[in-house]
Amino acid sequence: MSGTDILTGIGMVLVIEGLVYALAPQLVERLLEALRALSLEQRRNLGLLTLVSGLIVLWIAKG
């Protein structure tokens, strides 16, 4: 994995997040409200689940 790969990945994340904010800002607001309703432990578990899911996708892609 080179620095170019890392920058490409970061760029793709920024493009996707930018699209979400540009196309559905009200959805983002509702999502943030839903996240505020979760406990700290639930948010941490959600973050860990997202992390593991991302690692699995990367592992499959590099397969």
Side-chain angles (χ1 to χ4, degrees):
M1 181 182 302
S2 68
T4 304
D5 292 337
I6 293 170
L7 286 176
T8 301
I10 292 170
M12 291 172 67
V13 168
L14 291 173
V15 167
I16 292 169
E17 287 201 14
L19 281 172
V20 172
Y21 283 107
L23 298 176
Q26 290 179 345
L27 179 64
V28 174
E29 287 180 13
R30 283 188 280 158
L31 176 63
L32 290 174
E33 289 173 6
L35 283 173
R36 275 190 214 105
L38 296 176
S39 70
L40 183 61
E41 184 176 338
Q42 289 172 318
R43 282 183 268 166
R44 184 172 287 121
N45 288 336
L46 179 62
L48 289 172
L49 177 65
T50 304
L51 172 69
V52 170
S53 299
L55 288 172
I56 290 170
V57 168
L58 288 173
W59 180 65
I60 291 170
K62 291 288 183 179

